[in-house]
Amino acid sequence: MSITAIKGFNDLLPSESELWQFIEQTARQVFARYGFNEIRVPIVEKTELFCRSIGDTTDIVEKEMYTFTDKGGSSLTLRPEGTASVMRALIENKLYALDSINKLYYMGPMFRHERPQKGRYRQFHQIGAEVTGAADPLIDAQVLLMVSRLFKELGLTEPSLQINSLGCPVCRPAYREALVAFLEERQDALCEDCRRRQTTNPLRALDCKVPGCVEATQGAPAMVEHLCAECDQHFSAVQNYLTAAEVPFSLNPRMVRGLDYYTRTTFELVTGLLGSQSAVAAGGRYDGLVEQLGGPAVPGIGFALGVERVALLLGDRNFDRMPDLFIAVMGDAARTAGFRLMAALQDQGFWVETDCEGKSLKSQMRRADKLKARYSIVLGDTELAAGSGALKRMADGSQQTVALIAEGIAGAITGG
Ligand SMILES: [Zn+2]
Ligand SMILES: [Zn+2]
């Protein structure tokens, strides 16, 4: 019996990896322009890190983490998201002391024990970025500008940017009370999850997708109407900067975060193209997080995007690569000469293929077609004796005579 992969854990096959590389390379290029450097953090962390950062009462920590005890008896967890690890690394390596502003990005797998469905897997992949050290609304706007530009560079007109403010420890408690009072009056209409979260995370009722909850929370008090003066100013300034840089956005007063550590500016990039309205990227400000994890009082803001979802949006793009040249050979001498020619052209940066199965000339040409080689050349005793051969452009069958040296062939391939 053959062994299969674990449910929700996927192979990324060569047919898809070109697309993923395009997404990753585009992200690296865009992030570099805004001064971000890559950080690579471990996939496994002490469970405590996520309990303290994400919050004990969130769905992630309560139900979805891959937690296990290792052979030394420590409780470890496969990271369910990236921010906690990046902040742990920032504190542990005192990056905040080396520079007052740190701009970091990461990419890699995350793990949550959710029910697998289209575009949602137990091992999923995120690309994220974090800025620490600045509470200024200009930084919020810059992060939003950067994520918008990333989607533009990817060639996507969707998703669109929605923003909200979640307030701060000064103004959120009063809002929370007002919301809880509102929800209590509508208890019976709420789903089980929303009732359970009413004391721990009542804000989640606002983004619950259950129709009864959507209806029951119509007219619920909105955080933006309860912001303190500082939060209100901060949020207005973010919007002014976005307008100044012509970044399109809309306000979504019902947007909340599943994680406890978010404050003030919060945002999602939302699309209707993947079935129901869903977020392709999400993030926000988390001014208390670094301190909560035992570091100094350093503010921060960041986001993460789901690579699987971005790949779905880009789905029908063609990233097929094709060889520059297929060298078909007849006889042992030609095989060796072809191998030497192939090696020299590969050194010059060309993708060259040749026969490696001892096939007939006809089969070799079929393989050149299958690989969609741009050019082909046949080497036999005649060509070796002449020191030249016929280079064929596969698209139209046109031929030209070339010397059997790498320079000659390289020039013809590049020229044509
Ligand atoms: Zn506030
Ligand atoms: Zn609900």
Side-chain angles (χ1 to χ4, degrees):
M1 197 167 59
S2 61
I3 299 168
T4 57
I6 307 164
K7 196 174 179 190
F9 290 71
N10 297 325
D11 301 308
L12 187 69
L13 301 175
S15 56
E16 301 156 287
S17 60
E18 293 285 329
L19 175 61
W20 281 51
Q21 285 178 13
F22 167 71
I23 297 168
E24 290 164 2
Q25 279 160 12
T26 307
R28 287 179 196 283
Q29 284 162 8
V30 171
F31 293 169
R33 283 180 223 160
Y34 297 86
F36 284 72
N37 287 308
E38 186 177 10
I39 183 166
R40 300 192 186 192
V41 288
I43 283 169
V44 186
E45 299 272 2
K46 291 177 184 165
T47 302
E48 191 191 345
L49 172 66
F50 303 113
C51 295
R52 263 170 75 182
S53 60
I54 298 170
D56 284 323
T57 59
T58 55
D59 284 355
I60 296 175
V61 171
E62 279 184 353
K63 306 190 283 204
E64 295 168 0
M65 291 208 305
Y66 272 94
T67 298
F68 61 97
T69 306
D70 77 353
K71 291 194 168 115
S74 311
S75 178
L76 305 181
T77 294
L78 299 185
R79 62 184 187 191
E81 57 102 45
T83 304
S85 302
V86 173
M87 293 306 122
R88 196 262 314 133
L90 178 101
I91 296 165
E92 190 171 347
N93 298 288
K94 295 195 171 59
L95 298 183
Y96 53 83
L98 300 175
D99 194 343
S100 58
I101 309 276
N102 279 280
K103 297 180 180 178
L104 303 165
Y105 76 86
Y106 59 87
M107 41 184 77
M110 309 290 160
F111 304 86
R112 287 187 204 173
H113 198 275
E114 290 184 284
R115 188 155 14 96
Q117 48 180 284
K118 189 177 160 72
R120 196 180 289 253
Y121 307 104
R122 290 180 172 178
Q123 176 178 325
F124 57 100
H125 297 76
Q126 289 189 336
I127 297 176
E130 318 283 356
V131 186
T132 58
D136 197 296
L138 182 140
I139 283 293
D140 302 46
Q142 198 189 48
V143 168
L144 291 169
L145 170 68
M146 181 171 84
V147 73
S148 307
R149 289 295 192 263
L150 172 57
F151 282 101
K152 198 175 164 195
E153 296 275 315
L154 287 168
L156 292 169
T157 49
E158 291 265 347
S160 55
L161 175 63
Q162 297 186 347
I163 65 172
N164 192 19
S165 175
L166 293 181
C168 70
V170 173
C171 53
R172 194 152 57 187
Y175 167 67
R176 201 183 145 113
E177 262 175 49
L179 180 65
V180 169
F182 178 91
L183 294 175
E184 266 166 7
E185 282 171 27
R186 290 154 184 83
Q187 275 272 19
D188 300 339
L190 298 177
C191 74
E192 200 184 315
D193 276 340
C194 286
R195 277 200 300 254
R196 182 174 51 81
R197 290 189 298 229
Q198 210 160 312
T199 45
T200 56
N201 202 348
L203 272 65
R204 289 300 304 278
L206 295 177
D207 77 339
C208 182
K209 302 282 187 284
V210 176
C213 297
V214 174
E215 202 179 311
T217 55
Q218 291 296 328
M223 184 69 237
V224 281
E225 290 153 8
H226 291 75
L227 297 176
C228 64
E230 280 86 42
C231 285
D232 194 40
Q233 261 171 28
H234 190 274
F235 195 44
S236 299
V238 173
Q239 295 174 62
N240 287 340
Y241 285 122
L242 289 177
T243 305
E246 295 174 32
V247 178
F249 66 93
S250 59
L251 295 178
N252 177 1
R254 295 175 73 90
M255 186 195 305
V256 300
R257 288 269 74 90
L259 309 187
D260 283 347
Y261 54 61
Y262 284 105
T263 54
R264 290 192 170 170
T265 312
T266 184
F267 56 95
E268 286 182 359
L269 284 108
V270 178
T271 179
L273 295 179
L274 304 176
S276 61
Q277 194 78 349
S278 61
V280 178
R285 183 164 276 290
Y286 45 79
D287 289 345
L289 179 60
V290 178
E291 205 173 8
Q292 193 179 315
L293 291 174
V298 173
I301 181 170
F303 70 89
L305 64 83
V307 181
E308 280 84 356
R309 293 186 192 189
V310 175
L312 275 176
L313 285 178
L314 288 166
D316 49 7
R317 298 271 198 96
N318 187 9
F319 287 92
D320 285 351
R321 296 193 311 134
M322 47 196 76
D324 298 300
L325 176 67
F326 189 94
I327 302 175
V329 293
M330 293 185 295
D332 287 343
R335 200 176 168 88
T336 306
F339 188 77
R340 191 178 58 219
L341 204 52
M342 179 172 78
L345 283 163
Q346 285 163 335
D347 286 343
Q348 293 189 23
F350 295 99
W351 176 11
V352 185
E353 292 285 341
T354 190
D355 173 60
C356 55
E357 300 167 287
K359 290 277 178 70
S360 69
L361 182 60
K362 204 174 156 193
S363 299
Q364 292 185 47
M365 293 315 291
R366 265 206 301 272
R367 176 141 181 88
D369 278 333
K370 182 180 159 60
L371 291 171
K372 298 192 177 77
R374 291 171 54 229
Y375 288 87
S376 70
I377 191 167
V378 179
L379 299 190
D381 292 342
T382 319
E383 285 77 12
L384 293 191
S388 63
L391 182 74
K392 180 174 158 189
R393 187 159 66 191
M394 301 293 275
D396 58 7
S398 66
Q399 300 199 0
Q400 59 175 308
T401 304
V402 293
L404 295 186
I405 50 172
E407 287 70 24
I409 295 175
I413 290 177
T414 313

